[in-house]
Amino acid sequence: MFDLLEKYIMGPMTKLSQFRMIRAITFAGMTSISFTIVGSMFLILNVLPQAFPFLAGIWSVSFDKITNIYMLANSATIGCIAVYFLIATAFEYARILSEEDEIDIKPINAVLMAVMALFICIPQIGIVDGVISLLNDPEAGLFNGWTMGSGPARFGATGIFCAFIIAWFSVRIYALCVQKNIVIKLPDVVPDGVARSFTALIPGFLVAIVCMLIQAVFMAFGTDFYSFIAIPFGFVVNIVDTLPGILVIYFLIHALWLVGIHGATIVTSPLTAIALSNLVVNAEGGTAIWAGEFNNAFVTVGGSGATLGLTILMLTLAKSEQLKAIGKAEIVPALFNINEPLIFGLPIVYNPALAIPFMLAPMASAAIAYLAISMRIIPSVIVQMPWPTPVGLGAFISCGGSFTAALVAIVCALVATIIYFPFFKKYDKQLCEEEAAKLAAEAE
């Protein structure tokens, strides 16, 4: 089994994770999450009266009167998440090319070119009375080519995937110009800041021209860059939001862990953009499943493998001295969804005795949470919580203050514990026999 996992899963997934653009997107996802947590905290103020109706009267004479002030933090973070992703992706991709290919490009220049490219590609244009014009449709919130909501709509979740593509081609054009020496070089006596700005001049022109051509080509077909890109990526988003898609995600994560690869980083990092995009959709009344911290709130309770229950079993029922010791050491980290000591110390990696429950428990938890949200038993995830938030509390806040969501998270943890129990008993017995045999050998 482990040979198959290494050959057909670990190899391809490891190669995928090493692609430079994937690494840049992963970096962008990790660095952007802190800002989404900040924005989500202010959204909680809006939804608390839904969870606690007795607060409605208090809110009507207090927070409701200043909503448009404190929700600016939400609009400036989650509402502009594509801009954060663009900046972080362009910066990291340029840094990788600079260090690994030894291309003399400056990440700050790459970021500024990417931002310029974004602003050129966003407006919607068309031919009106024989003239290329910025489109207007006040009923749809479209003014001078810009669709507006609480801010520019395409700065938000709808623009995340376009931001990735824009970051990629703008940095690649910049790097190609530097490699081919298509730049303006000033004498060494010129200050670095001035010389750097002139080095970016020709690449900047080329990036602008490419973006204009992109706009013109899509306009000729009666569409625009953003609308076109939304088609394939919308298909990916829809697959991730199905039960089979969710189960495949958790199978891959834990199959990689079993052969010593950090499956959560490799599999979920590229999906962070979808989780954040769906977070915005849910805050506006959507019912997306893979959103925010769905993973740590409901599925991987105690860490990858949903091992909180296993840790409690080791702490309370184990007869093996080894399991007791590991249970004592792991119980506190497990409460905060940290279980590397368990994965590598028990170990779970390359351990056939615990491989099946390690994969099955999180898949069962994911199915329970998926069904609970899709059947509207609990609300969708609308708040981005820090991933180490303890079981129950993370689900409660993520779903806008839902006690039912907290209960579902606890049920997920209990089901995972039940799945682990027979395997734990057998493994505990095996270790007890090994320990007894070792003591007997030492006595002889």
Side-chain angles (χ1 to χ4, degrees), residues 285-325:
T287 58
I289 308 297
W290 183 262
E293 277 299 335
F294 170 84
N295 178 47
N296 288 294
F298 295 103
V299 185
T300 55
V301 175
S304 292
T307 55
L308 177 61
L310 175 61
T311 304
I312 294 173
L313 290 174
M314 291 192 299
L315 183 67
T316 58
L317 300 179
K319 296 178 181 178
S320 162
E321 293 300 322
Q322 177 184 336
L323 292 187
K324 286 180 182 179

Side-chain angles (χ1 to χ4, degrees), residues 166-419:
I166 290 171
W168 173 75
F169 75 70
S170 60
V171 173
R172 290 304 308 180
I173 290 173
Y174 178 26
L176 181 63
C177 287
V178 172
Q179 282 181 306
K180 300 298 183 182
N181 205 27
I182 310 174
V183 294
I184 297 175
K185 288 188 176 182
L186 298 181
D188 294 338
V189 295
V190 177
D192 286 344
V194 177
R196 189 181 304 123
S197 64
F198 274 86
T199 301
L201 192 60
I202 294 177
F205 267 113
L206 290 178
V207 169
I209 291 171
V210 167
C211 292
M212 293 174 193
L213 290 174
I214 289 173
Q215 281 278 45
V217 169
F218 282 108
M219 180 196 67
F221 288 94
T223 184
D224 61 84
F225 177 65
Y226 276 72
S227 299
F228 178 79
I229 295 301
I231 298 172
F233 282 105
F235 178 70
V236 175
V237 170
N238 290 335
I239 289 178
V240 171
D241 215 40
T242 64
L243 181 56
I246 293 286
L247 294 180
V248 167
I249 289 171
Y250 285 105
F251 170 77
L252 291 175
I253 289 173
H254 295 88
L256 288 169
W257 265 124
L258 286 173
V259 289
I261 303 296
H262 199 305
T265 298
I266 290 179
V267 177
T268 64
S269 292
L271 298 177
T272 299
I274 295 176
L276 295 177
S277 174
N278 285 341
L279 195 69
V280 178
V281 171
N282 290 347
E284 297 173 350
T287 58
I289 308 297
W290 183 262
E293 277 299 335
F294 170 84
N295 178 47
N296 288 294
F298 295 103
V299 185
T300 55
V301 175
S304 292
T307 55
L308 177 61
L310 175 61
T311 304
I312 294 173
L313 290 174
M314 291 192 299
L315 183 67
T316 58
L317 300 179
K319 296 178 181 178
S320 162
E321 293 300 322
Q322 177 184 336
L323 292 187
K324 286 180 182 179
I326 295 174
K328 290 177 183 178
E330 169 61 19
I331 185 62
V332 174
L335 293 174
F336 298 94
N337 300 328
I338 299 168
N339 70 343
E340 277 77 3
L342 194 68
I343 288 178
F344 297 105
L346 185 56
I348 289 176
V349 172
Y350 284 106
N351 187 345
L354 296 173
I356 291 176
F358 184 74
M359 288 194 292
L360 187 59
M363 292 175 71
S365 297
I368 292 170
Y370 179 94
L371 293 173
I373 295 174
S374 61
M375 296 172 66
R376 311 308 298 155
I377 297 173
I378 62 174
S380 301
V381 174
I382 62 170
V383 176
Q384 178 77 25
M385 283 298 297
W387 64 266
T389 307
V391 59
L393 181 61
F396 172 79
I397 299 177
S398 292
C399 293
S402 169
F403 286 104
T404 309
L407 180 60
V408 168
I410 294 171
V411 169
C412 289
L414 289 174
V415 169
T417 306
I418 293 170
I419 291 172

Side-chain angles (χ1 to χ4, degrees), residues 13-98:
M13 293 301 293
T14 301
K15 289 179 181 178
L16 177 65
S17 70
Q18 292 305 309
F19 284 139
R20 292 169 174 177
M21 194 60 192
I22 294 295
R23 287 157 55 196
I25 291 172
T26 299
F27 172 85
M30 291 188 292
T31 55
S32 300
I33 281 178
S34 59
F35 297 98
T36 63
I37 293 174
V38 171
S40 293
M41 293 302 100
F42 290 95
L43 181 62
I44 291 175
L45 287 175
N46 266 12
V47 300
L48 274 178
Q50 299 174 22
F52 306 101
F54 66 86
L55 294 175
I58 301 173
W59 253 240
S60 66
V61 296
S62 57
F63 289 108
D64 289 352
K65 295 183 179 296
I66 59 171
T67 296
N68 290 328
I69 293 179
Y70 66 76
M71 282 300 288
L72 287 174
N74 184 272
S75 300
T77 52
I78 295 177
C80 296
I81 192 63
V83 179
Y84 291 89
F85 268 90
L86 175 90
I87 292 172
T89 303
F91 180 91
E92 182 66 5
Y93 190 42
R95 187 196 64 78
I96 291 171
L97 292 179
S98 175

